Amino acid sequence: MSTPTTALPVTEQPATTPRSMQAVVFDDFGGPEVLVAREIPVPEVRPHDLLVRNASIGVNRADLLHRKGAYGRAYFGDADTMGLEIAGTVVAMGSEVQGFAVGDRVMGIVGGGAYAELSRIDHRMAMPVPAGMDLVAAGAVAEVFVTAHEALFHLARLHAGESVLIHAAAGGVGSAAVQLAHAAGARVFATAGGDKRGAVLGCGADVFIDYRSEDFQAVVAQVTQGRGVDVVIDFIGAPYLQRNVRSLADGGRLVSVGLLGGAQGAELPMDVVLYRHLQIFGTVMKSRPPEVKQAMVQRFAQQWLPALAAGVIRPVIDSTFALADAAQAHRRMESGASIGKILLLPEAR
């Protein structure tokens, strides 16, 4: 259930705004089967909020961790219910909102509460959906592209002419990172399962590496004639750490974005870090303070919204499910078969 918030003066809040809505909740931590659809109160609008009728909702790996109990019953700023990413139409807004109006099409990142028909979002975490872009597809943009931009450019400082190795390149953030790196003029090495080769190359990868049958460190060494890559974007964690470090060129930067393979048992080759003058960064969005997340969203929007409008970069959508079928969407993500984003679609009523 959403944490109660004292209502403050709002502007442009239609009298037709419903009092309740369908949302996906869970009473106990566990597998996908714990997710159920239930009527809950519509969140009250705070001064900086937009209230958005969702057209689509992005499913993220953080949602799976939330369902399993990794965060406990945490409150993430907007709701303690699940979900981080929305796209839809503004139906009401707070008295201190700037730059948006009721009726605007928006997309963005929320601090919980996305798995619902309506969500509140701080307007500083929202972005306009480019004209001509499908509103459902817009639900596949914010979380993955903001995360990818932060890793590639704000932390790793990737620029044209450099090379980057992107792991899990068929996933949501991975496919976004491949597109951004390609659009920025970098040479892109990308790992994924061999059955996803076409999709990854279609996103702009220059060198595809099948992680099941090839050693990415050996491929990078061979193709770069032993130099290595300038940047590595990693989602795997401990099992890849040594090879990631050894795949970096002098002055290289490693950014850790996830721990799909676990966090324990890794040995860091400190001699390589020292003598190659390497840098290692970690980044996660969910637990960052609101002002940090707002800055991350704005950095992406300022640099890439025109490219999104022009189709230079695009959301990659694997599949869509009805909101009430969130459990099936989680099973799809856990299967490892997805390419790009999985979306939930609330039913119009």
Side-chain angles (χ1 to χ4, degrees):
M1 301 292 289
S2 297
T3 299
T5 303
T6 302
L8 294 171
V10 297
T11 61
E12 300 191 68
Q13 183 158 1
T16 55
T17 301
R19 292 180 178 274
S20 66
M21 62 182 181
Q22 186 185 64
V24 171
V25 299
F26 56 89
D27 297 318
D28 300 297
F29 300 124
E33 69 279 356
V34 303
L35 300 179
V36 295
R38 184 178 297 159
E39 289 287 318
I40 68 171
V42 171
E44 294 176 340
V45 180
R46 302 163 300 191
H48 287 284
D49 283 342
L50 304 174
L51 184 64
V52 177
R53 181 168 294 281
N54 295 329
S56 66
I57 300 154
V59 177
N60 293 282
R61 291 202 173 272
D63 303 341
L64 277 60
L65 295 172
H66 187 184
R67 188 200 75 222
K68 295 174 182 178
Y71 310 116
R73 293 291 183 182
Y75 178 66
F76 298 110
D78 293 317
D80 57 7
T81 47
M82 184 179 294
L84 302 173
E85 179 178 26
I86 62 169
T89 303
V90 177
V91 298
M93 63 187 202
S95 58
E96 297 183 27
V97 170
Q98 298 180 4
F100 294 96
V102 169
D104 283 354
R105 303 183 331 142
V106 299
M107 57 188 178
I109 297 167
V110 297
Y115 282 29
E117 291 178 302
L118 295 106
S119 300
R120 62 184 180 187
I121 178 173
D122 188 303
H123 75 279
R124 294 162 292 190
M125 297 288 289
M127 298 175 282
V129 176
M133 184 177 186
D134 180 73
L135 193 55
V136 169
V141 172
E143 181 79 16
V144 295
F145 277 100
V146 170
T147 300
H149 175 267
E150 193 72 6
L152 285 167
F153 304 108
H154 185 65
L155 295 176
R157 308 179 307 281
L158 181 72
H159 58 261
E162 289 194 313
S163 55
V164 56
L165 170 63
I166 299 170
H167 292 300
V173 181
S175 61
V178 171
Q179 292 185 65
L180 293 179
H182 174 76
R187 188 184 193 189
V188 181
F189 294 72
T191 70
D195 55 325
K196 300 175 181 179
R197 177 185 299 270
V200 173
L201 292 173
C203 287
D206 297 290
V207 179
F208 178 86
I209 304 168
D210 182 348
Y211 77 91
R212 295 190 183 103
S213 62
E214 298 178 280
D215 178 349
F216 69 81
Q217 181 186 342
V219 173
V220 167
Q222 179 182 12
V223 174
T224 65
Q225 298 181 324
R227 176 186 179 276
V229 293
D230 299 291
V231 173
V232 173
I233 305 297
D234 179 59
F235 303 86
I236 309 303
Y240 278 14
L241 179 61
Q242 280 212 36
R243 286 186 289 161
N244 280 337
V245 169
R246 296 185 187 281
S247 296
L248 284 168
D250 287 353
R253 291 86 72 194
L254 166 63
V255 183
S256 176
V257 185
L259 297 169
L260 292 174
Q264 304 301 318
E267 292 186 7
L268 180 64
M270 287 301 301
D271 57 334
V272 180
V273 174
L274 189 67
Y275 293 115
R276 292 190 190 173
H277 313 287
L278 305 183
Q279 299 178 65
I280 300 175
F281 302 90
T283 183
V284 63
M285 183 181 295
K286 190 179 185 77
S287 59
R288 305 295 284 276
E291 60 273 14
V292 175
K293 291 192 283 188
Q294 292 163 16
M296 292 167 70
V297 170
Q298 295 308 313
R299 281 193 287 267
F300 167 78
Q302 290 168 11
Q303 184 165 342
W304 292 104
L305 279 187
L308 191 64
V312 175
I313 59 174
R314 57 181 175 79
V316 177
I317 299 172
D318 174 81
S319 51
T320 63
F321 296 84
L323 175 61
D325 295 329
Q328 295 182 35
H330 279 216
R331 292 187 184 99
R332 173 69 180 171
M333 178 167 281
E334 289 179 333
S335 74
S338 59
I339 298 174
K341 291 290 293 187
I342 299 169
L343 298 176
L344 299 176
L345 309 182
E347 296 181 12
R349 61 171 179 168

